[in-house]
Amino acid sequence: MPPHLTAADLDRSFGIANVARFEPGNDGLTRLVISTPQADAEIYLHGAHVTEFRPRGQDEVLFLSDKSLFAKGKAIRGGVPIIFPWFGPRAGHPESPQHGLVRTADWSVESLDQLETGEVLVVFRYESNADTRAIWPHDFVLRYWVQVGDYLDLCLEVHNTGVDAFDFEEALHTYLAVSDVRRVEVVGLSNTEYLDKTDGMLRKQQDGQPIRITGETDRVYLNTQSACTAKDPDEGRIVMVEKQNSNATVLWNPWIAKAKAMADFGDEEWPAMLCIETCNVAENAVQLDPKAKHEMRVSITAERLAV
Ligand code: TA6
């Protein structure tokens, strides 16, 4: 495990004056604050968790719950949690944490640079260790590229550093901020099969119409490489979620009852968010040979709707 570096240590080593600084964030967790002419963003080392992304001239693109915890061992509620090496509950292991091992881990910073075109690129790293091996007996190195411009590009690289192949699931579990989820239209998943987690994981087929959220929605769309757009008429924008090397997309809104059941989520927050998650899960899980690497990418952009 790399030595624990304070925000000040990291800022001395990697900070970019007037562009990118490390500082103590919520509840003292270290965060990277990025501010350029193109965008503002915040990323916690806790889970390498992007919590804010605001392109210049736009409202916040990511949802972050007012009730989110920022504590060791606890997931941040909102932004882009990194899910690996299993999605949801771990089959056959009720004692294992939901959504894998790394969204509450302490990631390290590998590099921080500003590109000639102004974007800021930070690379985070997380390696298997005795604690992870005790739960999931495989060796891996994760590297996570976050590129902040007037778009947000995320790339999760999984490297199998062990001697055996392993299967894994992964997700960049993106919480989009929306004005009112009941008035948002999602395009990109037409005629796609999905597992309906609100209906016993029944396998269903999406129709050809834009998707409207009219109740608790928790769907694992399978065998789809399609980009998705969320049209938010009240915000006056569309948000594009374009992906590479991802064969599944999850659409989630907890709606009223599930919102009330989550302590780290406000009862009245459910209309303000919609998860469009870039994944490889279920039958789209990835098998990785020893020494092999796999990269999954997502690019999130927001565009004003023509008035
Ligand atoms: O991605 C949707 C989902 O799997 C939902 O079933 C819900 O559990 C959500 O993730 C949030 O999970 P969390 O463990 O962060 O509360």
Side-chain angles (χ1 to χ4, degrees), residues 75 77 87-88 98-99 103 173 175 197 218 250 252 262 277:
R77 177 67 67 192
F87 182 86
Q98 161 106 326
H99 282 332
R103 66 172 174 167
H173 191 300
Y175 286 71
K197 291 177 75 171
D218 197 350
V250 169
W252 179 57
M262 292 188 283
E277 304 164 31

Side-chain angles (χ1 to χ4, degrees), residues 82-99:
I82 301 174
I83 313 297
F84 172 88
W86 62 81
F87 182 86
R90 183 185 177 194
H93 292 269
E95 79 288 353
S96 292
Q98 161 106 326
H99 282 332

Side-chain angles (χ1 to χ4, degrees), residues 37 41 43 47 66 71 79 84 98 149 163 208 210 218 221 230 235 257 260 262 283:
I43 311 161
D66 291 340
F84 172 88
Q98 161 106 326
V163 294
D218 197 350
Y221 289 86
E235 178 60 36
K260 287 196 171 90
M262 292 188 283
E283 65 194 61

Side-chain angles (χ1 to χ4, degrees), residues 61-124:
V61 173
L62 301 178
F63 166 86
L64 184 65
S65 172
D66 291 340
K67 291 186 174 288
S68 177
L69 300 174
F70 288 83
K72 284 212 169 298
K74 298 292 184 187
I76 295 171
R77 177 67 67 192
V80 186
I82 301 174
I83 313 297
F84 172 88
W86 62 81
F87 182 86
R90 183 185 177 194
H93 292 269
E95 79 288 353
S96 292
Q98 161 106 326
H99 282 332
L101 296 169
V102 302
R103 66 172 174 167
T104 58
D106 292 328
W107 289 58
S108 59
V109 178
E110 191 173 285
S111 62
L112 173 58
D113 299 286
Q114 185 168 30
L115 309 184
E116 284 181 10
T117 43
E119 292 91 345
V120 173
L121 173 62
V122 54
V123 183
F124 297 95

Side-chain angles (χ1 to χ4, degrees), residues 5 7 16 69 85 90 95 97 100 105 127 155 194 197 241 245 286:
L5 298 173
I16 304 173
L69 300 174
R90 183 185 177 194
E95 79 288 353
E127 301 185 13
C155 177
Y194 66 92
K197 291 177 75 171
V241 181
N245 280 350
V286 178

Side-chain angles (χ1 to χ4, degrees), residues 39-52:
D40 292 313
E42 291 190 5
I43 311 161
Y44 279 78
L45 265 68
H46 179 75
H49 197 128
V50 180
T51 51
E52 293 190 18

